[in-house]
Amino acid sequence: MALDTSGRIGGATRLVGVLGWPIAHTLSPRMQNAAFAALGLDFAYVALPVAPERLPAAVRGLAALGFAGANVTVPHKAGVVPFLAEMSPIVRALGAANTLLVRADGSLYGDNTDAHGFLADLRGHGVAVGPGTRALVLGAGGAARSVVYALADAGATVKVANRTVTRAEELCQLIAGVLPETAHRLAAHAFPNNLTDLAADATLIVNTTSLGLHPATDSLPWDPAVSFRPGQVVYDLIYAATPLLNFAREGGAGAINGLGMLVHQGARSAALWTGADEGELARFMQEELERS
Ligand code: ATR
């Protein structure tokens, strides 16, 4: 759905956007522009398709074009880090940024709001994460990094199960390196080995793999012989009712998709650019996405 921006974009409008490749299907422009309009913020948000070889030119161009900042998504989250003059501790820890702020002198500050977005959405669904949480994270790619960081930092025990176990081990080592106090609560497993035991132990299961994005052809990131149960929460980073979430509901478990994480990471980014209240931004972003 195209937004009616007539009369809203003027000479003083500040631009923000999202750098990605591909980027045509992003929901961010819709939800961000809806929140800007609702709060009377003179900002506009656009999708910025940036081919990998053009990333350096695009990042340098943000300041030249007067952008207030940008989001960064796949495949550029790590690629923007060398361009940052300053970065938040989580960007330094994970080597990945999803938010850029163009400062008055044109230099870039980088932040990563994904871990915050994930925890904020869980909180919004009434799921407390802390020392009593026993999490099982499926996948060990880029998306898993923020999730494992967030869970470990919040006090949870985290088991990472990945088809390629060495990637799960590397991820646990990365997080243990930056959050040493969490090292004894992190463990890597080869998926799908011992899934029955891992599932029995887990209170929160998080799918960070892309399996489920194409429900007609994707396999389940899970073994259908292993059921979920009431009291468990299954969170899927994909923004849809995936087969995994349907399977979780059949077992009586809670099922949450990634739309709320999108909202909360975006609201924190927008708060950084605009100075507006993050909670208000999130409320209007959520309302916009619920309209579809
Ligand atoms: P992202 O940055 O989105 O997390 P990624 O880095 O390519 O993407 O990671 C994709 C994750 O999905 C990985 O954990 C991958 O497992 P491998 O490390 O073994 O490749 C997982 N994944 C993708 N397809 C899979 C499949 N068919 N079965 C199991 N895991 C799969």
Side-chain angles (χ1 to χ4, degrees):
M1 181 189 71
L3 276 180
D4 177 14
T5 52
S6 52
R8 211 177 74 69
I9 297 181
T13 304
R14 303 300 315 278
L15 279 176
V16 285
V18 54
L19 286 72
W21 186 262
I23 197 68
H25 297 292
T26 177
L27 295 174
S28 291
R30 207 181 100 201
M31 79 172 190
Q32 292 275 357
N33 287 318
F36 295 156
L39 291 169
L41 299 165
D42 194 7
F43 279 75
Y45 189 109
V46 290
L48 299 166
V50 177
E53 66 275 16
R54 288 184 151 163
L55 185 65
V59 173
R60 291 198 191 96
L62 290 172
L65 290 167
F67 272 63
N71 280 134
V72 184
T73 188
V74 177
H76 296 317
K77 289 184 183 185
V80 297
V81 173
F83 298 94
L84 303 176
E86 197 186 332
M87 63 190 92
S88 67
I90 189 164
V91 173
R92 193 178 306 282
L94 300 182
N98 79 330
T99 306
L100 307 176
L101 176 71
V102 181
R103 301 189 294 194
D105 66 356
S107 68
L108 295 176
Y109 171 76
D111 202 351
N112 192 322
T113 65
D114 287 334
H116 165 76
F118 173 64
L119 289 179
D121 190 37
L122 280 171
R123 245 192 326 273
H125 282 90
V127 181
V129 177
T133 305
R134 295 188 305 280
L136 175 61
V137 176
L138 309 173
R145 278 193 206 180
S146 299
V147 166
V148 174
Y149 181 98
L151 292 168
D153 196 36
T157 298
V158 188
K159 294 179 179 172
V160 182
N162 197 45
R163 177 177 61 178
T164 312
V165 70
T166 50
R167 289 189 84 193
E169 287 161 0
E170 283 160 17
L171 176 53
C172 289
Q173 280 160 14
L174 172 81
I175 303 301
V178 295
L179 300 171
E181 69 283 4
T182 72
H184 67 284
R185 293 189 267 110
L186 302 170
H189 296 266
F191 178 87
N193 298 355
N194 301 325
L195 204 56
T196 305
D197 292 342
L198 292 174
D201 182 55
T203 59
L204 173 65
I205 297 92
V206 186
N207 175 42
T208 72
T209 78
S210 50
L211 293 174
L213 207 52
H214 308 288
T217 48
D218 284 352
S219 57
L220 211 58
W222 193 253
D223 178 351
V226 180
S227 297
F228 295 109
R229 61 168 192 272
Q232 288 180 317
V233 172
V234 179
Y235 193 105
D236 198 325
L237 261 57
I238 295 169
Y239 317 146
T242 60
L244 177 71
L245 292 179
N246 293 335
F247 185 65
R249 274 192 209 95
E250 282 169 22
I256 307 173
N257 72 35
L259 263 185
M261 178 174 172
L262 177 77
V263 164
H264 289 285
Q265 63 78 33
R268 177 153 287 196
S269 300
L272 192 67
W273 303 320
T274 66
D277 180 75
E278 185 186 329
E280 291 269 279
L281 287 159
R283 186 161 63 84
F284 288 117
M285 289 180 187
Q286 186 90 43
E287 278 179 18
E288 174 61 27
L289 293 184
E290 280 168 4
R291 256 189 272 280
S292 57

